[in-house]
């Protein structure tokens, strides 16, 4: 109202006091001018061509003129439809006849402002095409508002229609701009003054506005620079489908570069992003590289790219080596080349393994010199060093640093790298190769080298490096120390007990000063045994007993049970002669070895252990020999062994009472066996479950008596060096009971939001008297570890799969949760070919699947899953279908909907939005005869079951 009640000129000039003026005024002016009118018969008419609308369009053009028609500014602030309307108004006011093909017009014969208007329009056209090819991040919509959503949808459709037209006319626009490069004359663009003159009577303006001096002057060089850049961009975009066009793009971009260098980058009319231009030029060089010597010498990028294509990897390596001195190649480019080589090597080209290593070494030395962290790939490739690898590494190090000109910082970094490399190696030959190299000697001072040698000596008493280099490692003369070293090396490698005894006798004959049980840091004996063994007075016997036991334990840990048995048998025979205590220790260890051997062999296929082994296990638990050092793990494994082989009768009825009172593992095993024995049972049989619950709660409670980890928490899960874990297998009922107990303990937390479901969970108490004392964080970790282990035992147990899914759901990992919910249904229904049992897909599970899909923005899946509930949740389904930003297949899922009400709502929704194609899909789905409400109940159920099967199979393929 204010706009037309007051002077339009006053309001227009007020708009330009802001600097820069509000570009959104263009939107407001053009929207008002293009608003349709309604006649007396309430019919919508096109906007009338009256004075009001002409003034509004003129004001929009004046705002653009004030911005000097800078397309960068206009494109950032205006949508494609608005800018299209603005430039069409510019063409109209510049006397370009509507409907005229610009390619048919001779620009040189037109007035300067008219030619410039055509150039502006066609420049914008190809810039818009290029911009539309870039990926755009979707903006998350706010609360849905119908009028806003309709406006956004209309603007989106209008933009798509305009883009379609622009792409059809792209070839004409390119020809117009190519013709503009031949003009070689200055042009003029409309200013506020010329627009005012054009709005006056035609007879008063013809002479001035069509002359060569009217408007803002744009020099020929500026025009050529901007047109070349825009043409280069469109050619580069077309090069993705036609590689030859990249040559044209290269020509235009380099011409732009020349013009900027000649005239400077500042201009009144436009600005060019020089960083983007440099990127375009660099990309064009790589994409258009040829075998021509001149083009090959352009940049290292094109040379390396050419080497990768032609397979001349040695030339590429030379470029990397040379660049280690100049450090001009970016880290990202180096890593991308290495990734490409790794991909080729993984495809079967074994010859590339060496090239990958060499490029990785070049990159690593570059990282070292620039103070970056060494990449993990170098560490992996250098796990097994060789003489050739060390030689190449030292060659790269020497070639990457000029000691005469290098800064102290570079020298310090290289020295630290070589020093750490020596400290990380175990092979003395390789250490000597590095420490005797010329570069190493120059970088490290004498005292630093001596300190390094001392550190190496502390790590192993074998290392005896000289501080002066020699020509070869093999030139060291043989001596008594060398012979001792060779025997020690054999001692480390041997697993033959008689050979070990012979080597130790020879070593003790050569020297009596050494303790040979210390020569390898891999020989570890538990402290409870070590104290007894090291108390043996005879040094030869002490070394032999320690080494035999250490090697036997190591073989057991790596599952080499044959050698472990030989070593333990030899050790048992030895200690029987002088130490009853160590004899019982070895008998205990051999019992544990026999348990492991059975579980890894016959037990893995379900064969019961021999009665002799079961008797020995019982004998160990009942043993009452005083002062015998015992390992905790043996008692644990014995109880677990009895539980796994269902020796519940012994654990519950026959085990001696003093043993239960003194051995906590037996007490825990007894309670667990009693609980498993009574499952499933009546309520009165839950007394043992309650006893087991109280014991576990006490174990999980935080108290001063518990040992805490470094972070202050009670640790329920013990990590052992042994790779065996606690057992190879678990009786399913035992594992289910343990898992059920910990899940229930996890669920009793007051702050728990999402319960975890488990089998037999109802047998446990529902509350804990002292809730604050329980370390629930440790309980949660235990549940995760237990279910992960359970699934390694049986990956097809649907109850365990549901627990794993619930854990992921509770920790907001919705995609993983869906994976396990679907897997649980698949394993118990022959991949959904049969109906999923209702005790697997309960309403709670379905609701959690619905929430997962909703939070993953898969709203059509939500609507389909709402049908799976015992009572269809129409409210959630309708709300989900209203969402337009869905990440699933949307209308292609309609064939899986069997609820007619949902299909009818879809039909209404698509009709309301004007989505004809999707509405037809919904109508086709609802028109299937098997969904007719008059059909018998059996037919309707069969139709629903068939759609359930297909939908769940489609979901499984998506998430598996």
């Amino acid at each position: 109202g204010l706009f037309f009640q007051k002077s339009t000129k006053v309001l227009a000039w007020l708009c330009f006091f802001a600097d820069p003026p509000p570009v959104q005024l263009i939107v407001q002016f053009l929207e008002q001018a293009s608003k349709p009118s309604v006649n007396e018969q309430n019919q919508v008419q096109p906007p009338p061509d009256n004075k009001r609308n002409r003034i509004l369009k003129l004001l929009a053009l004046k705002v653009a003129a004030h911005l000097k028609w800078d397309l960068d500014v206009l494109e950032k602030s205006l949508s494609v439809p608005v800018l299209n309307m603005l430039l069409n108004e510019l063409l109209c006011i510049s006397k370009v006849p509507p409907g005229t093909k610009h390619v048919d017009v001779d620009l040189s014969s037109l007035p300067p402002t008219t030619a410039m208007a055509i150039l502006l329009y066609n420049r914008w056209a190809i810039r818009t095409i290029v911009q539309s090819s870039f990926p755009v991040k979707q903006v998350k919509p706010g609360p849905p508002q119908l009028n806003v959503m309709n406006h956004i949808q209309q603007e989106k459709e209008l933009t798509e229609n305009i883009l379609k037209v622009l792409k059809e006319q792209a070839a004409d626009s390119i020809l117009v701009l190519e013709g503009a490069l031949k003009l070689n004359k200055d042009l003029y663009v409309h200013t506020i003054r010329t627009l005012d003159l054009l709005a006056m009577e035609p007879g008063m303006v013809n002479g001035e506005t069509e002359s060569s001096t009217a408007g803002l002057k744009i020099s020929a060089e500026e025009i050529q620079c901007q047109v070349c850049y825009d043409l280069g961009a469109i050619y580069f975009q077309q090069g993705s489908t036609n590689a030859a066009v990249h040559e044209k793009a290269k020509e235009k971009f380099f011409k732009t570069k020349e013009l900027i260098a000649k005239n400077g980058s500042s201009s009144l009319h436009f600005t060019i992003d020089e960083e983007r231009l440099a990127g375009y030029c660099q990309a064009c060089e790589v994409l258009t590289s040829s075998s021509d010597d001149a083009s090959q010498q352009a940049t290292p990028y094109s040379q390396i790219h050419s080497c990768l294509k032609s397979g001349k990897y040695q030339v590429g390596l030379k470029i990397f080596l040379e660049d280690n001195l100049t450090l001009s190649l970016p880290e990202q480019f180096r890593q991308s080349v290495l990734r490409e080589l790794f991909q080729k090597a993984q495809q079967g080209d074994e010859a590339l393994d060496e090239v990958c290593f060499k490029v990785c070494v070049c990159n690593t030395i570059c990282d070292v010199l620039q103070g970056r962290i060494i990449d993990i790939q170098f560490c992996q490739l250098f796990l097994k060093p060789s003489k050739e690898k060390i030689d190449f590494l030292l060659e790269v190090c020497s070639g990457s640093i000029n000691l005469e000109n290098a800064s102290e910082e570079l020298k310090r970094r290289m020295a630290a790298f070589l020093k750490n490399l020596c400290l990380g190696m175990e092979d003395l030959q390789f250490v000597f190769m590095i420490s005797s190299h010329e570069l190493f000697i120059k970088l490290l001072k004498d005292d630093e080298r001596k300190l390094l040698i001392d550190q190496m000596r502390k790590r192993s008493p074998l290392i005896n490096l000289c501080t002066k280099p020699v020509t070869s490692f093999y030139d060291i003369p043989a001596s008594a120390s060398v012979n001792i070293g060779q025997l020690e090396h054999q001692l480390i490698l041997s697993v033959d007990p008689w050979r070990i005894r012979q080597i130790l006798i020879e070593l003790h004959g050569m020297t009596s000063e050494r303790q040979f049980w210390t020569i390898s840091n891999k020989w570890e004996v538990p402290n409870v045994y070590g104290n007894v063994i090291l108390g043996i007075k005879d040094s030869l016997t002490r070394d032999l007993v320690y080494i035999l036991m250490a090697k036997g334990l190591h073989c057991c840990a790596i599952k080499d049970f044959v050698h472990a048995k030989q070593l333990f048998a030899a050790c048992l025979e030895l200690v029987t002669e002088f130490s009853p205590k160590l004899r019982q220790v070895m008998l205990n260890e051999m019992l544990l070895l026999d348990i492991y051997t059975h579980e890894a062999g016959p037990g893995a296929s379900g064969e019961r252990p021999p009665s002799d082994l079961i008797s020995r296990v019982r004998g160990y638990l009942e043993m009452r020999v005083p002062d015998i050092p015992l390992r905790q793990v043996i008692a644990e494994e014995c109880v677990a062994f009895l539980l796994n082989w269902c020796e519940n009768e012994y654990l519950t009825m026959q085990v001696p009472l003093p043993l239960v009172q003194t051995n906590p593992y037996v007490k825990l095993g007894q309670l667990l066996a009693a609980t498993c024995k009574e499952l499933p049972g009546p309520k009165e049989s839950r007394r043992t479950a309650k006893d087991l619950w109280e014991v576990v709660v006490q174990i999980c409670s935080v108290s001063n008596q518990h040992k805490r980890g470094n972070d202050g928490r009670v640790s329920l899960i013990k990590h052992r060096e042994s790779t065996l874990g606690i057992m190879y297998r678990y009786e399913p009922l035992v594992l289910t009971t343990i898992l059920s107990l910990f899940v229930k303990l996890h669920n009793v937390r007051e702050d728990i939001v999402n319960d975890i479901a488990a089998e037999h969970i109802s047998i446990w108490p529902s509350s804990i008297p002292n809730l604050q004392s329980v370390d629930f964080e440790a309980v949660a970790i235990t549940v995760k570890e237990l279910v992960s282990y359970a699934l390694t035992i049986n990956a097809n147990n649907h109850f365990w799969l549901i627990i794993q899914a619930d854990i992921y759901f509770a920790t907001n990992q919705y995609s993983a949760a869906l994976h396990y919910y679907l897997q649980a249904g698949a394993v118990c229904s022959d991949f959904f070919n049969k109906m999923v049992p209702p005790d697997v897909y309960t309403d709670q599970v379905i609701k959690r699947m619905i929430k997962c899909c909703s939070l993953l923005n898969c709203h059509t899946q939500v609507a389909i899953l709402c049908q799976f509930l015992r009572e269809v949740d129409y409210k959630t389904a309708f709300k989900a279908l209203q969402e337009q930003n869905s990440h699933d297949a949307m209308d292609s899922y309609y064939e899986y909907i069997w609820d007619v009400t949902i299909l009818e709502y879809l039909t209404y929704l698509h009709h309301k939005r004007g989505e004809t194609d999707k509405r037809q899909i919904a109508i086709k789905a609802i028109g299937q005869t098997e969904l007719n409400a008059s059909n018998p109940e059996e037919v309707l159920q069969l139709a629903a079951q068939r759609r359930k099967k297909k939908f769940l199979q489609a979901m499984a393929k998506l998430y598996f």
Side-chain angles (χ1 to χ4, degrees), residues 556-588:
C556 193
I558 63 173
K559 305 180 186 180
D560 183 0
F561 300 127
V562 175
H563 284 119
K565 197 170 187 70
Q566 293 172 1
L567 291 160
F568 282 164
C571 191
L572 175 63
E573 183 181 347
L574 177 65
V575 299
T576 301
E577 299 174 1
F578 65 88
S579 175
K581 186 182 293 187
L582 284 175
R583 178 182 178 276
Q584 188 60 53
V585 165
M586 291 313 305
L587 289 172
N588 295 344

Side-chain angles (χ1 to χ4, degrees), residues 82 113 170 233 244 386 392 478 503 548 550 606 651 658 772 920 938 955:
V82 172
T113 51
S386 64
F392 181 79
I503 293 170
L548 287 174
L651 286 170
Q772 290 75 20
Q920 288 301 320
E938 295 81 5
M955 288 276 284

Side-chain angles (χ1 to χ4, degrees), residues 822-823 825-834 836 949-950 952-958 960:
L822 289 166
Q823 192 173 340
V827 298
C828 62
S829 64
D830 190 18
F831 197 69
F832 305 111
N833 285 307
K834 302 174 184 176
V836 180
K949 165 191 164 182
K950 288 186 176 180
L952 290 171
Q953 287 176 343
M955 288 276 284
K957 290 176 183 176
L958 187 64
F960 283 2

Side-chain angles (χ1 to χ4, degrees), residues 225-233 253 256 272-273 276-277 280:
C225 188
Q226 186 63 60
V227 170
C228 280
Y229 180 76
D230 292 336
L231 282 171
F253 285 133
T256 307
I272 286 180
D273 186 343
R276 182 177 283 261
L277 175 62
Y280 272 132

Side-chain angles (χ1 to χ4, degrees), residues 370-534:
Q370 297 190 65
R372 292 193 290 264
I373 298 173
I374 294 176
D375 195 87
I376 189 65
Q377 287 174 330
F378 174 78
C379 301
Q380 291 172 339
L381 291 172
F382 222 70
L383 281 174
K384 295 181 179 179
S386 64
K387 186 176 182 298
E388 292 74 22
K389 287 183 177 181
I390 299 290
D391 282 336
F392 181 79
L393 175 67
L394 293 172
E395 178 189 340
V396 174
C397 290
S398 302
S400 301
I401 186 168
N402 187 343
L403 293 177
E404 295 179 2
N405 303 323
S407 65
E408 289 300 319
E409 180 66 13
L410 284 181
K411 293 179 183 178
R412 185 185 62 77
R413 289 171 180 170
M414 183 65 80
F417 169 72
L418 292 174
K419 187 167 72 171
N420 290 330
L421 200 62
C422 287
L423 289 171
M425 285 190 176
E426 294 183 0
D427 195 313
L428 301 184
Q429 178 185 353
F430 299 143
V431 172
F432 193 83
M433 285 177 65
I434 297 172
S435 63
S436 62
H437 194 271
E438 183 182 1
L439 178 66
F440 185 89
I441 295 168
K442 287 182 179 179
L443 287 173
L444 271 77
K445 299 174 184 177
D446 290 342
D447 55 344
E448 289 177 325
R449 292 204 303 278
K450 289 178 182 176
L451 181 62
L452 175 62
I453 292 168
D454 289 340
Q455 290 175 325
M456 301 290 284
R457 281 185 180 140
K458 287 177 184 177
R459 192 185 68 179
S460 173
L462 293 179
I463 298 177
N464 185 16
L465 297 177
C466 59
T467 56
K468 294 183 180 180
V470 293
T471 55
S472 170
F473 177 77
Y474 300 102
D475 291 340
I476 301 174
S479 64
S481 63
V482 173
N483 292 332
I484 291 174
Q486 290 173 349
L487 286 172
E488 288 176 341
H489 184 65
Q490 293 176 28
L491 182 62
I492 291 171
L493 296 178
S494 179
V495 288
D496 180 0
W498 303 113
R499 178 61 183 152
I500 291 169
R501 178 176 176 274
Q502 183 182 0
I503 293 170
L504 280 172
I505 291 171
E506 290 184 42
L507 286 170
H508 276 271
M510 298 174 75
T511 176
S512 60
E513 299 176 356
R514 297 284 300 279
Q515 294 180 335
F516 293 103
W517 62 270
T518 64
I519 65 174
S520 174
N521 58 5
K522 298 292 185 183
W523 292 344
E524 294 181 358
V525 168
N527 291 333
V528 290
Y529 298 163
N531 296 332
V532 179
I533 295 171
L534 296 181

Side-chain angles (χ1 to χ4, degrees), residues 98-392:
T100 304
K101 280 194 171 184
H102 297 170
V103 71
D104 298 334
V105 177
D106 182 9
L107 294 178
S108 59
S109 63
L110 295 176
T113 51
T114 306
M116 193 63 196
I118 291 175
L119 279 187
L120 269 173
Y121 179 84
N122 287 282
R123 275 187 52 220
W124 168 77
I126 63 171
R127 285 164 66 105
T128 304
I129 294 170
V130 171
Q131 192 65 34
S132 69
S133 67
F134 297 153
V136 179
K137 184 178 180 181
Q138 294 292 332
V139 180
K140 191 173 182 180
Q145 299 178 16
L146 193 58
N147 56 342
V148 174
M149 289 169 64
N150 288 339
H151 177 74
I152 293 172
Q153 183 65 24
Q154 289 172 4
E155 187 175 273
K156 182 180 177 182
E157 291 175 359
L158 191 55
T159 302
E160 289 174 356
N161 292 335
I162 293 170
L163 274 172
K164 184 179 178 182
V165 174
L166 293 179
K167 287 176 182 177
E168 290 172 355
Q169 298 174 353
D172 289 350
S173 295
I174 291 171
L175 288 174
V176 169
L177 296 182
E178 288 284 8
L181 294 177
K182 302 173 185 176
L183 277 179
N184 202 22
K185 70 173 185 177
D186 300 339
L187 295 180
Y188 293 81
V189 68
H190 281 301
T191 61
I192 295 174
R193 181 172 177 277
T194 59
L195 289 170
D196 274 333
L197 291 172
L198 285 171
M200 296 169 63
E201 293 298 325
M204 301 172 64
V205 299
N206 280 344
E208 185 171 358
T209 57
E210 296 186 5
S211 71
S212 61
T213 59
L216 176 65
K217 178 181 176 182
I218 311 297
S219 68
E221 289 80 6
E222 287 183 80
I223 295 169
Q224 287 198 347
C225 188
Q226 186 63 60
V227 170
C228 280
Y229 180 76
D230 292 336
L231 282 171
I234 190 69
Y235 286 145
F236 189 86
Q237 188 244 351
Q238 292 176 344
S240 60
T241 55
N242 184 1
V245 183
H246 280 136
E247 288 288 351
K248 292 184 180 180
K250 180 179 178 181
E251 177 191 342
K252 300 304 178 189
F253 285 133
F254 276 86
K255 179 68 174 175
T256 307
K257 212 170 181 181
E258 289 174 14
L259 290 168
I260 289 177
K262 178 181 176 183
N263 304 310
S265 59
S266 60
S267 168
L268 293 173
H269 178 55
F270 66 85
T271 54
I272 286 180
D273 186 343
E274 292 191 54
E275 287 187 5
R276 182 177 283 261
L277 175 62
Y280 272 132
C281 292
Q282 183 177 305
C284 288
E285 282 183 348
V286 172
L287 292 169
T288 59
S289 59
S290 65
S291 58
D292 183 31
D293 290 338
S295 65
Q296 286 296 313
Q297 296 173 3
T299 63
Y301 299 94
S302 58
Q303 293 176 16
I304 291 172
H305 183 75
S306 177
C307 291
L308 291 177
K309 287 200 296 186
S310 61
K312 298 177 181 177
Y313 301 116
Q314 295 303 321
V315 179
L317 277 172
K318 185 180 177 184
I319 296 170
F320 274 114
L321 279 169
E322 291 170 354
D323 186 75
N324 274 15
L325 278 171
T326 58
L327 303 176
S328 60
L329 291 175
E331 178 193 5
Q332 294 82 0
F333 176 75
R334 284 173 167 268
Q335 292 299 330
S336 68
V337 172
L338 183 58
R339 278 196 300 272
E340 186 174 341
L341 288 170
F342 269 126
Q343 288 172 359
K344 289 184 179 179
Q346 289 169 358
Q347 290 168 3
D349 193 346
E350 296 180 357
L352 281 179
D353 290 342
E354 183 183 353
V355 178
C356 289
F357 169 75
K358 291 184 175 181
V359 172
C360 184
V361 168
C362 291
N363 288 355
T364 300
I365 300 305
C366 178
D367 291 339
V368 168
L369 293 174
Q370 297 190 65
R372 292 193 290 264
I373 298 173
I374 294 176
D375 195 87
I376 189 65
Q377 287 174 330
F378 174 78
C379 301
Q380 291 172 339
L381 291 172
F382 222 70
L383 281 174
K384 295 181 179 179
S386 64
K387 186 176 182 298
E388 292 74 22
K389 287 183 177 181
I390 299 290
D391 282 336
F392 181 79

